[in-house]
Amino acid sequence: MLTDIGANLTHNSFDSDRQAVVDRARAAGVERMIITGADLESSRKAISLAAELGAGFYATVGIHPHHASSANKDTHGELSLLLEHPGVVAAGECGLDFYRNLSPPEDQETTFTLQLEIAGEKGLPMFLHQRDAHDRLIELLKPYLGELPAAVMHCFTGTRRELEECLELDLYVGITGWVCDERRGLHLRDLVHDIPAERLLLETDAPYLLPRDLQPKPASRRNEPMHLAHIAAVVAKLRNESPEDTAAITSANASRFYGLGT
């Protein structure tokens, strides 16, 4: 069994064939999927979609740094209510993105801190986004770690130093199809071997980050949760494990991280 810890299944690119996407994922062995919320609207949709799809589907609720400027005086209350829904298993996707700065850095930091506070109040793990902002994100995160049950650095693509700092803080590490990219992911291939087994999680971040080494190459550049099986196989080879062991280890970690049971 595979668990995709982050798939943007509410994305409009799935509107025409969402059920077929889910069916293909299940046929590939992906039995559980966490549907990512990136703002209040998509978080509501993630909750509804997870309930509609049924067993094996869960949602996160959060405000991505790109949307941080949309937060207002009502955001705390709205997030708090959404995070109490029984289908919600984590706060996020949230964090800092200083690469694009689609929201000003100060807005990103304020909205991220707000979500850290709420997640701590609710006792929920955090699904973290970071790009070109590692040091500042860690600085803001550290004071809340004692209140959070866990946190994962979603789509980790950082340096060895950054990986070591994440592990020192007992963060989980999410690996995507970035590791399959011969242009950008070569350094990550060396690091994957050094992630402790109990801290490793797998994700597609679909519809983004289609693995570049798929053969034959898909006609569409849209990523799907079914490709998690390919990512798991690549990670398994890099870690000198069988794909079955990698699937079992990462699914067990997902169960522990999200409180999903067995």
Coordinates of all heavy atoms in Angstrom, one line a residue, residues 119-181:
A119 N -2.7 25.5 14.8 CA -2.3 24.1 14.7 C -1.9 23.6 16.1 O -2.3 22.5 16.6 CB -1.2 23.8 13.7
G120 N -1.2 24.4 16.8 CA -0.8 24.1 18.2 C -2.0 24.0 19.1 O -2.1 23.1 19.9
E121 N -3.0 24.9 18.9 CA -4.2 24.9 19.7 C -5.0 23.6 19.4 O -5.6 23.0 20.3 CB -5.1 26.1 19.4 CG -4.5 27.4 19.8 CD -5.3 28.6 19.2 OE1 -6.3 28.4 18.5 OE2 -4.9 29.7 19.5
K122 N -5.0 23.2 18.2 CA -5.8 22.0 17.8 C -5.1 20.7 17.9 O -5.7 19.6 17.8 CB -6.3 22.2 16.3 CG -7.0 23.4 16.0 CD -8.3 23.5 16.7 CE -9.1 24.8 16.3 NZ -10.4 24.9 17.0
G123 N -3.8 20.7 18.2 CA -3.0 19.5 18.3 C -2.9 18.8 16.9 O -2.9 17.6 16.9
L124 N -2.7 19.6 15.9 CA -2.6 19.0 14.5 C -1.2 19.1 14.0 O -0.5 20.1 14.2 CB -3.6 19.7 13.6 CG -5.0 19.4 13.7 CD1 -5.9 20.3 12.9 CD2 -5.3 17.9 13.3
P125 N -0.8 18.1 13.2 CA 0.5 18.2 12.5 C 0.5 19.3 11.4 O -0.6 19.7 11.0 CB 0.8 16.8 11.9 CG -0.6 16.3 11.7 CD -1.4 16.8 12.8
M126 N 1.7 19.7 11.0 CA 1.8 20.8 10.0 C 2.4 20.2 8.7 O 3.4 19.5 8.7 CB 2.8 21.9 10.5 CG 2.3 22.6 11.8 SD 0.9 23.7 11.4 CE 1.7 25.0 10.4
F127 N 1.8 20.7 7.6 CA 2.2 20.4 6.2 C 2.9 21.6 5.7 O 2.2 22.6 5.3 CB 1.0 19.9 5.4 CG 1.3 19.4 4.0 CD1 1.9 18.1 3.9 CD2 1.0 20.1 2.9 CE1 2.2 17.6 2.6 CE2 1.3 19.6 1.6 CZ 1.9 18.3 1.5
L128 N 4.2 21.6 5.7 CA 5.0 22.9 5.5 C 5.5 23.0 4.0 O 5.9 22.1 3.4 CB 6.2 22.9 6.4 CG 5.9 22.8 7.9 CD1 7.2 22.6 8.6 CD2 5.2 24.0 8.4
H129 N 5.4 24.3 3.6 CA 5.9 24.7 2.3 C 7.1 25.6 2.5 O 7.0 26.6 3.3 CB 4.9 25.4 1.4 CG 5.4 26.0 0.1 ND1 5.2 25.3 -1.1 CD2 6.1 27.1 -0.1 CE1 5.8 26.1 -2.0 NE2 6.3 27.2 -1.5
Q130 N 8.2 25.4 1.8 CA 9.4 26.3 2.0 C 10.1 26.4 0.6 O 10.4 25.4 0.0 CB 10.3 25.8 3.1 CG 11.5 26.7 3.3 CD 12.7 26.5 2.3 OE1 13.1 27.4 1.7 NE2 13.1 25.2 2.2
R131 N 10.3 27.6 0.2 CA 11.2 27.8 -1.0 C 12.0 29.1 -0.8 O 11.4 30.1 -0.6 CB 10.4 27.8 -2.3 CG 11.2 27.7 -3.5 CD 10.4 27.5 -4.8 NE 11.3 27.3 -5.9 CZ 10.9 27.2 -7.2 NH1 9.7 27.3 -7.5 NH2 11.8 27.0 -8.1
D132 N 13.3 28.9 -0.8 CA 14.2 30.0 -0.6 C 14.0 30.8 0.7 O 14.2 32.0 0.8 CB 14.2 31.0 -1.8 CG 14.8 30.5 -3.1 OD1 15.3 29.4 -3.0 OD2 14.9 31.2 -4.1
A133 N 13.5 30.0 1.7 CA 13.2 30.7 3.0 C 13.5 29.8 4.1 O 12.9 29.9 5.2 CB 11.7 31.1 3.0
H134 N 14.4 28.8 4.0 CA 14.6 27.8 5.0 C 14.9 28.4 6.4 O 14.3 28.0 7.4 CB 15.7 26.8 4.6 CG 16.1 25.9 5.6 ND1 15.5 24.7 5.8 CD2 17.1 25.9 6.6 CE1 16.1 24.0 6.8 NE2 17.0 24.8 7.3
D135 N 15.9 29.2 6.4 CA 16.4 29.8 7.7 C 15.3 30.5 8.4 O 15.1 30.3 9.7 CB 17.6 30.7 7.5 CG 18.8 29.9 7.1 OD1 18.8 28.6 7.2 OD2 19.8 30.5 6.6
R136 N 14.5 31.3 7.7 CA 13.5 32.1 8.4 C 12.3 31.2 8.8 O 11.7 31.4 9.9 CB 13.0 33.2 7.4 CG 11.9 34.1 8.0 CD 12.4 34.8 9.3 NE 11.4 35.7 9.8 CZ 11.3 36.1 11.1 NH1 12.1 35.5 12.0 NH2 10.4 37.0 11.5
L137 N 12.0 30.2 8.0 CA 10.9 29.3 8.3 C 11.3 28.5 9.6 O 10.4 28.4 10.5 CB 10.6 28.3 7.2 CG 9.4 27.4 7.5 CD1 8.6 27.2 6.2 CD2 9.9 26.0 8.0
I138 N 12.5 28.0 9.7 CA 12.9 27.3 10.9 C 12.9 28.2 12.1 O 12.5 27.8 13.2 CB 14.3 26.7 10.7 CG1 14.3 25.7 9.6 CG2 14.9 26.2 12.0 CD1 13.4 24.5 9.9
E139 N 13.3 29.5 11.9 CA 13.3 30.4 13.0 C 11.9 30.6 13.5 O 11.6 30.7 14.8 CB 13.9 31.7 12.5 CG 14.0 32.8 13.6 CD 14.5 34.1 13.1 OE1 14.7 34.2 11.9 OE2 14.8 35.0 13.9
L140 N 10.9 30.8 12.7 CA 9.5 30.9 13.1 C 8.9 29.7 13.6 O 8.0 29.7 14.5 CB 8.7 31.4 11.9 CG 9.0 32.8 11.4 CD1 8.2 33.1 10.1 CD2 8.7 33.9 12.4
L141 N 9.3 28.5 13.1 CA 8.7 27.2 13.5 C 9.2 26.8 14.9 O 8.4 26.2 15.7 CB 9.1 26.2 12.5 CG 8.7 24.7 12.7 CD1 7.2 24.6 12.7 CD2 9.3 23.8 11.6
K142 N 10.4 27.0 15.2 CA 11.0 26.4 16.4 C 10.2 26.7 17.7 O 10.0 25.8 18.5 CB 12.4 26.9 16.6 CG 13.5 26.2 15.8 CD 14.9 26.7 16.2 CE 16.0 25.9 15.5 NZ 17.3 26.4 15.8
P143 N 9.7 27.9 17.9 CA 9.0 28.1 19.2 C 7.7 27.3 19.3 O 7.2 27.2 20.5 CB 8.7 29.6 19.1 CG 9.7 30.2 18.2 CD 9.9 29.1 17.2
Y144 N 7.2 26.8 18.2 CA 5.9 26.1 18.3 C 6.1 24.6 18.3 O 5.1 23.8 18.4 CB 5.0 26.5 17.1 CG 4.6 28.0 17.1 CD1 5.4 28.9 16.5 CD2 3.5 28.3 17.8 CE1 5.0 30.3 16.6 CE2 3.1 29.7 17.9 CZ 3.9 30.6 17.3 OH 3.5 32.0 17.3
L145 N 7.3 24.1 18.1 CA 7.5 22.6 17.9 C 7.0 21.8 19.2 O 6.5 20.7 19.0 CB 8.9 22.3 17.6 CG 9.4 22.7 16.2 CD1 10.9 22.4 16.1 CD2 8.6 21.9 15.2
G146 N 7.1 22.4 20.3 CA 6.6 21.7 21.5 C 5.1 21.6 21.6 O 4.6 20.7 22.3
E147 N 4.4 22.4 20.8 CA 2.9 22.3 20.8 C 2.4 21.5 19.7 O 1.2 21.1 19.7 CB 2.4 23.7 20.7 CG 2.8 24.7 21.8 CD 2.5 26.1 21.5 OE1 1.5 26.3 20.7 OE2 3.1 27.0 22.1
L148 N 3.2 21.2 18.7 CA 2.8 20.4 17.5 C 3.1 19.0 17.6 O 4.2 18.6 18.1 CB 3.5 21.0 16.2 CG 3.2 22.5 15.9 CD1 4.2 22.9 14.8 CD2 1.8 22.7 15.5
P149 N 2.2 18.1 17.3 CA 2.5 16.7 17.3 C 3.6 16.2 16.3 O 4.3 15.3 16.5 CB 1.2 16.0 17.0 CG 0.4 17.0 16.3 CD 0.8 18.3 16.8
A150 N 3.6 16.9 15.2 CA 4.6 16.6 14.1 C 4.5 17.7 13.0 O 3.6 18.5 13.0 CB 4.3 15.2 13.5
A151 N 5.5 17.7 12.2 CA 5.5 18.6 11.0 C 6.4 17.9 9.9 O 7.3 17.2 10.2 CB 6.1 19.9 11.3
V152 N 5.9 18.1 8.7 CA 6.7 17.6 7.5 C 7.1 18.7 6.6 O 6.3 19.6 6.3 CB 5.8 16.5 6.7 CG1 4.5 17.2 6.2 CG2 6.6 16.0 5.5
M153 N 8.3 18.6 6.1 CA 8.8 19.6 5.1 C 8.4 19.0 3.8 O 9.0 18.1 3.2 CB 10.3 19.8 5.2 CG 10.8 21.0 4.5 SD 10.2 22.6 5.2 CE 11.3 22.7 6.6
H154 N 7.2 19.5 3.3 CA 6.7 19.0 2.1 C 7.6 19.3 0.9 O 8.2 20.4 0.8 CB 5.3 19.7 1.9 CG 4.9 20.0 0.5 ND1 4.5 19.0 -0.4 CD2 4.7 21.2 -0.1 CE1 4.2 19.6 -1.5 NE2 4.3 20.9 -1.4
C155 N 7.7 18.4 0.0 CA 8.5 18.6 -1.3 C 9.9 19.1 -0.9 O 10.3 20.1 -1.4 CB 7.8 19.5 -2.2 SG 8.6 19.6 -3.9
F156 N 10.6 18.3 -0.1 CA 11.9 18.8 0.2 C 12.8 18.7 -1.0 O 12.9 17.7 -1.7 CB 12.5 17.9 1.3 CG 13.9 18.3 1.8 CD1 14.1 19.3 2.7 CD2 15.0 17.7 1.2 CE1 15.3 19.7 3.0 CE2 16.3 18.1 1.6 CZ 16.4 19.1 2.5
T157 N 13.5 19.8 -1.2 CA 14.5 19.9 -2.3 C 15.8 20.6 -1.9 O 16.6 21.1 -2.7 CB 13.9 20.7 -3.5 OG1 13.6 22.0 -3.1 CG2 12.7 20.0 -4.1
G158 N 16.0 20.7 -0.6 CA 17.1 21.5 0.0 C 18.4 20.9 0.0 O 18.7 19.8 -0.6
T159 N 19.3 21.6 0.7 CA 20.7 21.2 0.8 C 20.9 20.1 1.9 O 20.0 19.9 2.7 CB 21.6 22.4 1.1 OG1 21.2 22.9 2.4 CG2 21.4 23.5 0.0
R160 N 22.1 19.6 2.0 CA 22.4 18.7 3.1 C 22.3 19.4 4.4 O 21.8 18.8 5.4 CB 23.8 18.1 2.9 CG 24.2 17.1 4.0 CD 25.4 16.3 3.7 NE 25.2 15.4 2.6 CZ 24.7 14.2 2.6 NH1 24.2 13.8 3.8 NH2 24.6 13.5 1.5
R161 N 22.8 20.6 4.5 CA 22.6 21.4 5.8 C 21.2 21.5 6.2 O 20.8 21.3 7.3 CB 23.3 22.7 5.7 CG 23.1 23.6 6.9 CD 23.6 25.0 6.7 NE 22.8 25.8 5.8 CZ 21.7 26.5 6.1 NH1 21.2 26.4 7.4 NH2 21.1 27.2 5.3
E162 N 20.3 21.9 5.2 CA 18.9 22.0 5.5 C 18.3 20.7 5.9 O 17.4 20.7 6.8 CB 18.2 22.7 4.3 CG 18.7 24.1 4.0 CD 18.2 24.6 2.7 OE1 17.7 23.9 1.9 OE2 18.4 25.9 2.5
L163 N 18.6 19.6 5.3 CA 18.1 18.3 5.7 C 18.5 18.0 7.1 O 17.7 17.6 7.9 CB 18.6 17.2 4.7 CG 18.2 15.8 5.1 CD1 16.7 15.6 5.1 CD2 18.9 14.8 4.1
E164 N 19.8 18.2 7.4 CA 20.2 17.9 8.8 C 19.5 18.8 9.8 O 19.2 18.3 10.9 CB 21.8 18.1 8.8 CG 22.5 17.1 8.1 CD 24.0 17.4 8.0 OE1 24.4 18.5 8.4 OE2 24.8 16.5 7.5
E165 N 19.2 20.0 9.5 CA 18.5 20.9 10.4 C 17.1 20.4 10.6 O 16.6 20.4 11.7 CB 18.5 22.3 10.0 CG 19.9 23.0 10.1 CD 19.9 24.4 9.7 OE1 18.8 24.9 9.3 OE2 21.0 25.1 9.8
C166 N 16.4 19.9 9.5 CA 15.1 19.4 9.6 C 15.1 18.1 10.5 O 14.2 18.0 11.4 CB 14.6 19.0 8.2 SG 14.2 20.5 7.2
L167 N 16.1 17.3 10.3 CA 16.1 16.0 11.1 C 16.4 16.3 12.5 O 15.9 15.6 13.4 CB 17.1 15.1 10.4 CG 16.8 14.6 9.0 CD1 17.9 13.8 8.5 CD2 15.5 13.8 9.0
E168 N 17.3 17.3 12.8 CA 17.6 17.6 14.2 C 16.3 18.1 14.9 O 16.2 17.9 16.1 CB 18.6 18.8 14.2 CG 20.0 18.3 13.9 CD 21.0 19.4 13.7 OE1 20.6 20.6 13.9 OE2 22.2 19.2 13.3
L169 N 15.4 18.7 14.2 CA 14.1 19.1 14.8 C 13.0 18.1 14.7 O 11.9 18.3 15.1 CB 13.6 20.4 14.1 CG 14.6 21.6 14.2 CD1 14.0 22.8 13.3 CD2 14.7 22.1 15.6
D170 N 13.4 16.8 14.3 CA 12.5 15.7 14.2 C 11.4 15.9 13.2 O 10.3 15.4 13.4 CB 11.9 15.4 15.6 CG 12.9 14.8 16.6 OD1 13.8 14.1 16.1 OD2 12.7 15.0 17.8
L171 N 11.7 16.7 12.2 CA 10.7 16.9 11.1 C 10.7 15.7 10.2 O 11.7 15.0 10.0 CB 11.0 18.1 10.3 CG 11.1 19.5 11.0 CD1 11.3 20.6 10.0 CD2 9.9 19.8 11.9
Y172 N 9.5 15.4 9.6 CA 9.4 14.4 8.6 C 9.9 15.1 7.3 O 9.8 16.4 7.1 CB 8.0 13.9 8.4 CG 7.6 13.0 9.5 CD1 7.3 13.5 10.8 CD2 7.5 11.6 9.3 CE1 6.8 12.6 11.8 CE2 7.0 10.8 10.3 CZ 6.7 11.3 11.6 OH 6.3 10.4 12.6
V173 N 10.2 14.3 6.3 CA 10.7 14.8 5.0 C 9.9 14.2 3.9 O 9.9 13.0 3.7 CB 12.2 14.5 4.8 CG1 12.7 15.1 3.5 CG2 13.0 15.0 6.0
G174 N 9.2 15.1 3.1 CA 8.4 14.6 2.0 C 9.2 14.6 0.7 O 9.8 15.7 0.3
I175 N 9.2 13.5 0.0 CA 9.9 13.4 -1.3 C 8.9 13.3 -2.4 O 8.0 12.4 -2.4 CB 10.9 12.2 -1.3 CG1 12.0 12.4 -0.2 CG2 11.6 12.0 -2.6 CD1 12.9 13.6 -0.4
T176 N 9.1 14.1 -3.5 CA 8.3 14.1 -4.6 C 9.0 13.6 -5.9 O 10.2 13.2 -5.8 CB 7.7 15.5 -4.9 OG1 8.9 16.3 -5.3 CG2 7.0 16.1 -3.7
G177 N 8.4 13.8 -7.0 CA 9.0 13.4 -8.3 C 10.2 14.3 -8.6 O 10.9 14.1 -9.7
W178 N 10.5 15.3 -7.8 CA 11.7 16.1 -8.0 C 13.0 15.3 -8.0 O 13.9 15.5 -8.8 CB 11.8 17.1 -6.8 CG 12.8 18.3 -7.0 CD1 14.2 18.1 -6.9 CD2 12.5 19.6 -7.3 NE1 14.8 19.4 -7.1 CE2 13.8 20.3 -7.3 CE3 11.4 20.4 -7.5 CZ2 13.9 21.7 -7.6 CZ3 11.5 21.7 -7.8 CH2 12.7 22.4 -7.8
V179 N 12.9 14.2 -7.3 CA 14.0 13.2 -7.2 C 14.3 12.5 -8.6 O 15.3 12.0 -8.8 CB 13.8 12.2 -6.1 CG1 12.8 11.1 -6.4 CG2 15.2 11.6 -5.6
C180 N 13.3 12.6 -9.4 CA 13.3 11.9 -10.7 C 13.8 12.9 -11.8 O 13.8 12.5 -13.0 CB 12.0 11.4 -11.1 SG 11.2 10.3 -9.9
D181 N 14.1 14.1 -11.4 CA 14.5 15.2 -12.4 C 16.0 15.2 -12.6 O 16.7 15.6 -11.6 CB 13.9 16.5 -11.9 CG 14.1 17.6 -12.9 OD1 15.0 17.6 -13.8 OD2 13.2 18.5 -12.9

